[in-house]
Amino acid sequence: MPTIHARQALLPSGWANDVEVHIADDGRIAWVSAAHMNVEIDVETEVGIDAPENASSSSPSAVPIHVDILLPAPVNAHSHAFQRAMAGLTEGRGPDVRDSFWTWRRLMYRFLDQLTPEHVEAITAFVQLEMLECGYATNVEFHYLHHRPDGRPYDAVAEMSERVAAAARTTGIGLTLLPVHYQYGGCDRRPLGEGQKRFGSDLAQYGDLFDGAAAALAELPTDAALGVAPHSLRAVAPESFAPLIELASGRPIHLHLAEQQAEVDEVSTAWSKRPVEWVLDTLDPGPQWCLIHCTRMLPHETTALAQTGAIAGLCPITEANLGDGIFDGCRWLDAGGQIAIGSDSNIRISLVGELRTLEYTQRLRDHTRAALATREKSVGRRLFDAVTRGGAQAAARACGQIAEGAWADLMSLDGHSANTDGLRGDLILDSYIFAGDDALVRDVWSAGRHVVHEGRHHARDAIEAAYRRTIRELRHAL
């Protein structure tokens, strides 16, 4: 495994110059050393983890890899990979007077009826490739496409989970797999509709899906992880949460929450409490939980939920595309809340696009600028610190920092582009997010696997060719 030499790097204690990071054979960071810190940290402050006394300044096993700017690579905390293949196909006005999330969902159900396991593997691999090329090192896959179109299980009950894992084996991305429990079509426990039958399971069937997903992950490197995902309060009975939490046994639990007004109204009518109020009063959420979207919260709900330690899993590009609403990021962060970022529908996979959209929606709502900045940190620095820390928590992955013992989830940026040339410290992140784009990403390592070099995934040609064949078949069928 290599040593990486960076002219600048963002370490847990701040920015540092002339940093060397040695990656051990198990994919974790063995040690970090730096010549000196930038001005924001006292030069005598200990930087990360110093190299052991018997370690040379560069790895004896390989010539150091030289990069301009080294950052911890964030986690993509929420994805439905298969939806990537319908990106751009749902932007026309439907038969309804007003198009909405619910009309989009009907089109999505028609689309997924065409998907085979082979399609899902090809699409997922391409999605993971795009995630890696824009700087994500890990894919948290909220995976609910389990069965045949008529709802019958595949011969291998976790066939679709196996395909997601196979895609990760091809791309080298870190994977936290969340098989989804989805039982009902609404709070009244109506049966799943035609487009939903592929998702459905009772608790016993879900246990089989969970075990099958665990077996699929056993074929991957040891950084792969497993979690539990009750789909939403609409799709899961109240009494089912206790056994699902028990099954999780400390693993991550992800849940769609307060995404659409119609959902808020349905839960409020059925359970006499708004969704966030019900979760706070009934489920005792904490750091194990990642609650997705949360765009329809009242101020007191935002503050109370933030203070539980649960992660808010935000997908600003999808939330804008589907008209979900604007997450109250200012109130959430000021209350000490943690956030993670994801690409959800994968209409566009862009790390900087998600961060930029999150900040800009706050500005548009409040008619202000630098909405998420603090006196100590610029917007770019505060957002980047938040999503690397929160993403690691949401994925149950020891990553998010360049420090000894963490998985070597790393990304490098081009320091010679027109947007970064001559910049130092937090100005790099501000320019990267607000003036630059994902093309600034030059290298990505996932648990030490060097999967992106000079901005390109090592297997792009083959993965893209398989994806193109798949979308031609699907578009022809539609």
Side-chain angles (χ1 to χ4, degrees), residues 343-409:
S343 57
D344 194 359
S345 72
N346 298 306
I347 180 75
R348 176 167 173 73
I349 300 173
S350 170
L351 172 56
V352 294
E354 300 289 356
L355 299 176
R356 185 185 304 143
T357 302
L358 175 57
E359 167 66 19
Y360 281 174
T361 54
Q362 311 300 302
R363 298 184 188 191
L364 287 167
R365 182 194 60 220
D366 298 336
H367 311 290
T368 187
R369 290 200 72 257
L372 296 176
T374 65
R375 293 188 181 277
E376 295 77 26
K377 291 184 179 181
S378 67
V379 175
R381 176 65 183 276
R382 192 183 189 199
L383 282 176
F384 197 82
D385 282 354
V387 301
T388 50
R389 180 176 60 250
Q393 182 176 324
R397 185 176 176 88
C399 63
Q401 58 180 334
I402 304 176
E404 180 183 2
W407 290 114
D409 288 1

Side-chain angles (χ1 to χ4, degrees), residues 306-317:
Q307 292 172 347
T308 66
I311 300 293
L314 310 178
C315 309
I317 292 176

Side-chain angles (χ1 to χ4, degrees), residues 88-117:
L89 302 182
T90 62
E91 301 306 316
R93 176 64 61 83
D96 293 5
V97 173
R98 183 174 181 179
D99 213 59
S100 69
F101 167 86
W102 306 100
T103 54
W104 171 87
R105 192 178 73 157
R106 289 200 298 268
L107 293 169
M108 186 264 287
Y109 288 166
R110 282 176 42 209
F111 172 79
L112 64 82
D113 276 350
Q114 312 299 321
L115 295 175
T116 67

Side-chain angles (χ1 to χ4, degrees), residues 209-221:
L209 288 166
F210 184 84
D211 291 343
L217 293 179
E219 302 298 317
L220 295 180

Side-chain angles (χ1 to χ4, degrees), residues 235-258:
V236 176
E239 66 271 16
S240 295
F241 280 95
L244 290 170
I245 293 168
E246 183 178 0
L247 180 63
S249 187
R251 298 180 181 92
I253 303 173
H254 289 220
L255 170 74
H256 288 129
L257 184 67

Side-chain angles (χ1 to χ4, degrees), residues 284-308:
D284 190 27
Q288 179 184 6
W289 289 78
C290 182
L291 303 167
I292 308 300
H293 301 307
C294 297
T295 50
R296 300 283 176 160
M297 294 194 296
L298 299 177
H300 74 277
E301 295 172 337
T302 300
T303 299
L305 193 59
Q307 292 172 347
T308 66

Side-chain angles (χ1 to χ4, degrees), residues 1-4 21-25 27-31 408 410 445 447-448:
M1 287 290 186
T3 294
I4 303 167
V21 178
H22 181 69
I23 302 173
D25 289 342
R28 295 181 182 269
I29 295 173
W31 51 261
L410 306 168
W445 291 263

